[in-house]
Amino acid sequence: MSFTVLGTGSYAPPRVVTNDELSTFLDTSDEWISQRVGVRQRHVCTTETAADLAVEAARRALENSHTLPEELDLILAATVSGEDVSPNIACMVQHHLGATCPAYDINAACSAFLYLMETAAGYFARKRVKKVLLVGAERMSRILDWEDRSTCVIFGDGAGAAVLGEGDNYLASKLYTRGGDDVIKIPQFIGKSPFFQGQQLSPYVHMKGQETFRFAVNAMCGDVKELLDQTGIHGEDIAWVVPHQANVRIIESAKRKLPIPEDRFFVNIDRYGNTSAASIPMALDELNRAGKLRRGDNLVLCAFGGGLASAACILRW
Ligand code: UT7
């Protein structure tokens, strides 16, 4: 026993920032950002917190799956940009929904939504749960250095959620970690201990872009090929690949290397930017609400990022 996805939801704050608007205070251009990253605009919080976004996406997923908060047996959430270390986002979602089940966060940066799925699969296998809510939510705009054009143009804010129920549709999965902080690092406030002698690194996203890019393409292609081999599912039998939306060139590169028809790769980075842990559930929700997913479709979900970590899974819709 694993699970089946019963419904999805997503939410992005209403304030939209275009590349042209960024060009008014940064040495950048719509041409550079669209061509090198594939982002044309992103949504940015003005008053909302990451937890607010999470609650709205969760509400929409409950509605879409016809699930009541009291039916939930577990809430798992993920963020790298939550305002509070405690309570975590999952606890705030539980509180605002009026649910009573256990709730906790898992940190695996941009790959986190797939780590949530893997964790949930364990609960279903042990028959400990009947309905689980997963949420990825980010206010990336909080942890960006808005003077660093090599990072701040890439990311955006948003949240995505899914409700899982009992079933056998989680067909295969892979998690991978190559731990280290030399490629991507997001430091917290170092604190004010009079005893600690470490240095404060600015509490923003620090990323070596090209190294991350190489890791991303290798991880995405390696993970997905491994799962196709393991399941014996042919590329033509994949209805959609839902990749982490980090850079459209990463997705283009994976298209050339994977034996899956090119028109099956879903892209929405142009409208949302890279929303880290929210990226995959937001994309899934967009496909779902557009009526592009049919029961029985095979979906590949794949992600990569801070950790460094990557993950992939094959789901039957
Ligand atoms: O979600 C977590 C996972 N993250 C990723 O997967 C991100 C992976 N990496 C990337 O997407 C790309 O490496 C970036 C988008 C971050 C950077 O693109 P790039 O093609 O690797 O650019 P680069 O860092 O090699 O920089 C090329 C040039 C540099 O100028 P010079 O030194 O050649 O004169 C940069 O200063 O582009 C310049 N540049 C910009 N120019 C205009 C960097 N950012 C900008 C900008 N606007 N926003």
Side-chain angles (χ1 to χ4, degrees):
M1 153 98 78
S2 60
F3 61 76
T4 190
V5 178
L6 300 178
T8 60
S10 63
Y11 180 72
R15 174 73 158 95
V16 169
V17 176
T18 62
N19 293 342
D20 285 336
E21 185 172 353
L22 291 183
S23 315
T24 61
F25 62 91
L26 266 180
D27 181 15
T28 190
S29 63
D30 177 47
E31 191 189 4
W32 193 95
I33 303 169
S34 318
Q35 285 179 8
R36 305 295 296 177
V37 196
V39 182
R40 293 189 176 274
Q41 62 170 50
R42 72 284 296 139
H43 291 246
V44 172
C45 292
T46 51
T47 55
E48 309 87 345
T49 64
D52 293 336
L53 306 182
V55 171
E56 191 51 41
R59 279 204 177 107
R60 292 176 184 200
L62 288 183
E63 200 176 280
N64 186 249
S65 61
H66 309 291
T67 303
L68 297 170
E70 53 269 33
E71 290 179 72
L72 293 173
D73 300 307
L74 179 69
I75 299 172
L76 299 174
T79 189
V80 290
S81 56
E83 280 72 10
D84 303 315
V85 174
S86 185
N88 60 41
I89 295 260
C91 290
M92 292 311 289
V93 169
Q94 191 243 33
H95 170 69
H96 285 287
L97 293 181
T100 52
C101 60
Y104 61 91
D105 280 15
I106 291 175
N107 180 342
C110 300
S111 310
F113 200 77
L114 301 189
Y115 283 70
L116 301 185
M117 282 194 164
E118 184 76 1
T119 306
Y123 279 86
F124 279 104
R126 292 167 58 220
K127 301 191 190 310
R128 294 288 303 271
V129 292
K130 289 193 186 324
K131 291 202 174 170
V132 176
L133 170 66
L134 308 183
V135 192
E138 302 284 7
R139 181 161 82 91
M140 293 304 290
S141 55
R142 185 180 77 77
I143 57 167
L144 294 171
D145 176 352
W146 285 95
E147 293 177 353
D148 175 10
R149 67 178 183 172
S150 70
T151 51
C152 75
V153 305
I154 300 170
F155 294 94
D157 299 340
V163 176
L164 312 181
E166 291 177 294
D168 287 309
N169 288 345
Y170 187 59
L171 303 183
S173 62
K174 181 187 174 186
L175 307 183
Y176 172 75
T177 302
R178 195 186 89 196
D181 65 356
D182 54 322
V183 180
I184 301 178
K185 188 175 173 77
I186 311 172
Q188 297 269 24
F189 169 49
I190 199 167
K192 284 193 167 181
S193 164
F195 308 106
F196 190 68
Q197 294 176 13
Q199 298 289 310
Q200 171 78 62
L201 190 61
S202 58
Y204 304 121
V205 174
H206 297 257
M207 179 173 72
K208 289 181 186 156
Q210 292 193 1
E211 283 181 46
T212 309
F213 195 103
R214 274 193 296 277
F215 172 78
V217 174
N218 288 335
M220 180 169 162
C221 295
D223 292 349
V224 174
K225 268 190 191 139
E226 199 176 309
L227 295 185
L228 291 176
D229 288 348
Q230 193 183 311
T231 56
I233 296 175
H234 296 289
E236 306 82 58
D237 296 327
I238 298 296
W240 288 103
V241 178
V242 185
H244 171 43
Q245 307 285 313
N247 186 321
V248 75
R249 287 187 297 130
I250 293 173
I251 300 172
E252 293 299 329
S253 185
K255 275 185 191 174
R256 290 191 290 274
K257 292 180 178 165
L258 285 169
I260 298 173
E262 294 200 354
D263 61 353
R264 313 280 168 83
F265 288 72
F266 183 72
V267 174
N268 68 0
I269 190 175
D270 49 323
R271 283 166 289 129
Y272 296 104
N274 176 346
T275 55
S276 190
S279 140
I280 287 187
M282 285 176 75
L284 199 59
D285 185 51
E286 187 172 333
L287 278 168
N288 184 21
R289 280 167 197 264
K292 291 183 176 168
L293 303 178
R294 282 169 305 181
R295 285 291 162 196
D297 276 354
N298 291 317
L299 310 182
V300 167
L301 277 46
C302 48
F304 44 80
L308 298 173
S310 72
C313 70
I314 301 183
L315 279 183
R316 198 188 300 118
W317 190 249

